[in-house]
Amino acid sequence: AQSVTQLDSQVPVFEEAPVELRCNYSSSVSVYLFWYVQYPNQGLQLLLKYLSGSTLVKGINGFEAEFNKSQTSFHLRKPSVHISDTAEYFCAVGSGTYKYIFGTGTRLKVLA
Amino acid sequence: DTGVSQNPRHKITKRGQNVTFRCDPISEHNRLYWYRQTLGQGPEFLTYFQNEAQLEKSRLLSDRFSAERPKGSFSTLEIQRTEQGDSAMYLCASSRFGTGPSYEQYFGPGTRLTVT
C-alpha cells in the first residue's frame, strides 16, 4: 500500500527567507509524485510533478523539489518566500490505478 | 480550456436531506475523479470514471453515496440521508487517460457541504 507523510503540520517563516516542506512516501512500485497548493476555500493547484528523468523538478512560483529514491523523499523548497505563498501545501503520490494518495498537508505561514 | 467547474460552491443542508453536486471536467479529459477533504486533512479518494464507466470506488463511499457520469462528460455525486459526518469539501478532478504528462489531475474549486 502507498502512503504519504508530511511531518510538519505548520511551518512559519519570515518573508524572503528560504523554506523547505518535507514529504516522505512509501510505495512498492514506481511512483509519480506531486506537490499541490491550496488557498483558503479553493481547489488544488499543481505546483510541480515528478514523473521520471531528472530528480530536480522546477515548478511554478519559484518552487522546486528533489526526488530522492533512496530516502523516499520529495521535499519542496523555495529560496525566498513571499507573503502570497501563505497557503496549505499537499504532497501526493500516484501510480497504478491513477488515484492520488495525499498527505495531511503543511500550512505555510509567511510572516512580515 | 476553462478548467474543471463544480456546482454549487457551497451547500448547507439539514441532516437527513439528499444533496447532489455536479462536476464539469475539462472537455477533452476522459477520466474524472471525486475526492473528499475534511478540515485539516488532505483529500481522500472516493471514486473515478473512465468515460462513463465507474472503475473504482473507495470504501469511504457508503451506500448513501452514488456517483454517475452518464454520457462520459459531466458527473454528479449524490448523498442520500445526509449525516453531520458528511460535512466536508468535495473535490472533482479530471485527467486524460495515458502516461506521462497526461497523467496529471486538474482539480476544480470544490463544493463545500455543511450538514446541520
Side-chain angles (χ1 to χ4, degrees):
Chain A
Q2 297 168 328
S3 66
V4 176
T5 301
Q6 293 182 248
L7 289 171
D8 305 305
S9 59
Q10 292 190 65
V11 173
V13 62
F14 285 104
E15 193 173 18
E16 298 184 6
V19 69
E20 178 180 84
L21 306 183
R22 296 181 293 168
C23 172
N24 288 88
Y25 70 92
S26 67
S27 176
S28 58
V29 298
S30 298
V31 296
Y32 303 124
L33 293 160
F34 306 84
W35 274 99
Y36 282 84
V37 61
Q38 186 177 36
Y39 299 100
N41 297 314
Q42 293 188 27
L44 280 72
Q45 180 185 7
L46 182 69
L47 279 177
L48 49 78
K49 59 190 175 187
Y50 171 79
L51 303 180
S52 65
S54 173
T55 57
L56 183 63
V57 179
K58 293 191 183 297
I60 63 171
N61 301 342
F63 284 94
E64 64 180 33
E66 185 157 17
F67 171 60
N68 188 318
K69 188 174 182 180
S70 62
Q71 296 187 4
T72 61
S73 67
F74 190 55
H75 300 332
L76 181 70
R77 302 185 184 99
K78 186 169 183 178
S80 175
V81 294
H82 190 267
I83 294 286
S84 60
D85 292 323
T86 294
E88 189 92 22
Y89 291 79
F90 292 96
C91 181
V93 61
S95 72
T97 59
Y98 297 93
K99 66 185 179 187
Y100 287 3
I101 305 297
F102 283 88
T104 52
T106 297
R107 184 174 300 277
L108 174 64
K109 184 166 178 62
V110 181
L111 308 169
Chain B
D1 180 356
T2 57
V4 179
S5 62
Q6 292 186 245
N7 287 289
R9 294 290 309 276
H10 303 274
K11 179 71 177 178
I12 300 174
T13 191
K14 292 186 188 303
R15 184 164 55 92
Q17 298 294 305
N18 298 345
V19 294
T20 300
F21 310 141
R22 175 175 170 132
C23 171
D24 287 87
I26 294 171
S27 58
E28 65 267 27
H29 287 182
N30 53 9
R31 285 199 170 195
L32 187 147
Y33 310 78
W34 284 99
Y35 292 83
R36 181 173 69 185
Q37 184 180 21
T38 53
L39 207 59
Q41 298 297 315
E44 296 173 292
F45 170 79
L46 292 178
T47 188
Y48 88 94
F49 294 83
Q50 184 168 308
N51 299 314
E52 65 275 10
Q54 188 174 18
L55 296 185
E56 186 172 344
K57 292 197 294 185
S58 162
R59 283 173 291 181
L60 292 175
L61 217 61
S62 75
D63 292 344
R64 296 184 298 105
F65 288 70
S66 63
E68 294 182 342
R69 195 182 183 199
K71 297 182 180 179
S73 56
F74 72 91
S75 174
T76 57
L77 178 67
E78 181 183 15
I79 309 175
Q80 296 182 326
R81 304 181 303 282
T82 52
E83 302 172 356
Q84 288 188 321
D86 298 331
S87 295
M89 174 82 89
Y90 290 85
L91 294 164
C92 176
S94 69
S95 72
R96 288 182 183 157
F97 171 65
T99 58
S102 61
Y103 183 87
E104 175 182 330
Q105 294 182 24
Y106 294 81
F107 282 80
T111 294
R112 181 168 294 284
L113 173 66
T114 302
V115 182
T116 61

